[in-house]
Amino acid sequence: MKNNNFRTFQGYMKQEEHLLSASMEDYLEMIYRLSKDTGFTRINELSEALNVHPPSATRMVQKLGLMNLLQYERYGVIILRAEGKKLGELLLLRHNIIEAFFRLIGAKAETLLAETEKVEHTLSDETVKCFEQFIAFIEENPDVLIRFKNFKVE
Amino acid sequence: MKNNNFRTFQGYMKQEEHLLSASMEDYLEMIYRLSKDTGFTRINELSEALNVHPPSATRMVQKLGLMNLLQYERYGVIILRAEGKKLGELLLLRHNIIEAFFRLIGAKAETLLAETEKVEHTLSDETVKCFEQFIAFIEENPDVLIRFKNFKVE
DNA sequence: GTATCATTTTAGGCATTGCTAATTTTTTTA
DNA sequence: TAAAAAAATTAGCAATGCCTAAAATGATAC
């Protein structure tokens, strides 16, 4: 076995010149959700939504602030900057594509959210695009889905 | 947004009574691969295969040893115990299902391995089963794949 | 305006898993 | 069998991101 291409999970996650870690992506996506209507969110709301304790949210928000993805001052409100907004929107879009795709192929509803939240950090743009194309394909060819469902019953 | 079900990536990865962390799964899967023919492997071979440095492999192997997944003594060979073998086999099986599925829907060959290695730690058994069923479905209905490919061209 | 309450921050700790440097053990070679 | 080389271990550090406890700040009520 001279195949030099394997890595551990962490090895892969580091290797890429990922601008954002998985956690950063989670925070950014959630900030985008929460501030979509009102234009802002707060540490408390954010930490509750993500089921982390406030100090964890504070630290991450400070970090995202240093990266110029959002605007934040101590004890203040969290407002996405243009770049952060753009990323957040993409992240949410990606999330929705993956979720829709999993639903299509029959993933259990109970685990759908957790599944999507985990997977979304690990898929390449190309593969997400494949998911997207498959969704569009099924929309135009609903008979395929029916055949698949029948196949599964057997 | 009172939905209490979101978590950060790490939140999800911890939450489950996961016997094995993502890294543990990687090591176990690789040990299984490497010892499949010969019945054993070594720290050096393992660390090279996973692109980590030997001390990292030593530590993880010791940990897996404490979990009774493998048999190991200082400076010795690594031999999977029954439980470790069973898990390793399942992990490799899962890996292959996911890889085959991604290939089917058209994931880029260059990123296929990395993609699979990352995703495999984040999918539920049910979803992997969906992948498996889809593969079987396409095998029995190759016309669907042709239609999908044609659809993508447009 | 001050006391209370809620929110947020700071400080410090923990677990994981990677790394390097130095040491120990094993294997090979001469 | 003794010296050299290779392999593996130990020890200690780093980064990430979570936590708790205590302090600081802000908002509210009287």
Side-chain angles (χ1 to χ4, degrees), chain B residues 8 10 42-44 55 58-59 62 72 74-75:
Chain B
T8 59
Q10 302 211 359
R42 301 187 148 281
I43 291 292
N44 221 14
T58 297
R59 186 183 295 199
Q62 287 169 339
Y72 184 65
R74 292 176 60 194
Y75 301 103

Side-chain angles (χ1 to χ4, degrees), chain B residues 59-121:
Chain B
R59 186 183 295 199
M60 186 58 90
V61 166
Q62 287 169 339
K63 194 181 287 189
L64 295 173
L66 285 177
M67 296 169 75
N68 274 314
L69 295 175
L70 53 79
Q71 187 185 327
Y72 184 65
E73 281 173 11
R74 292 176 60 194
Y75 301 103
V77 293
I78 301 162
I79 299 175
L80 287 177
R81 289 190 195 282
E83 184 65 16
K85 210 171 198 165
K86 205 176 80 187
L87 278 171
E89 194 177 353
L90 284 175
L91 291 171
L92 186 53
L93 196 67
R94 187 180 69 178
H95 177 101
N96 290 336
I97 290 169
I98 295 168
E99 187 172 330
F101 179 80
F102 279 162
R103 203 192 318 263
L104 260 195
I105 66 160
K108 256 179 39 188
E110 302 92 274
T111 61
L112 195 58
L113 175 61
E115 191 111 40
T116 303
E117 288 282 306
K118 282 186 295 179
V119 168
E120 62 184 357
H121 308 293

Side-chain angles (χ1 to χ4, degrees), chain A residues 120-139:
Chain A
E120 62 185 358
H121 308 292
T122 66
L123 291 178
S124 68
D125 293 349
E126 289 84 20
T127 299
V128 174
K129 184 158 267 171
C130 289
F131 282 15
E132 203 174 0
Q133 289 171 322
F134 187 79
I135 294 168
F137 171 66
I138 293 296
E139 265 169 20

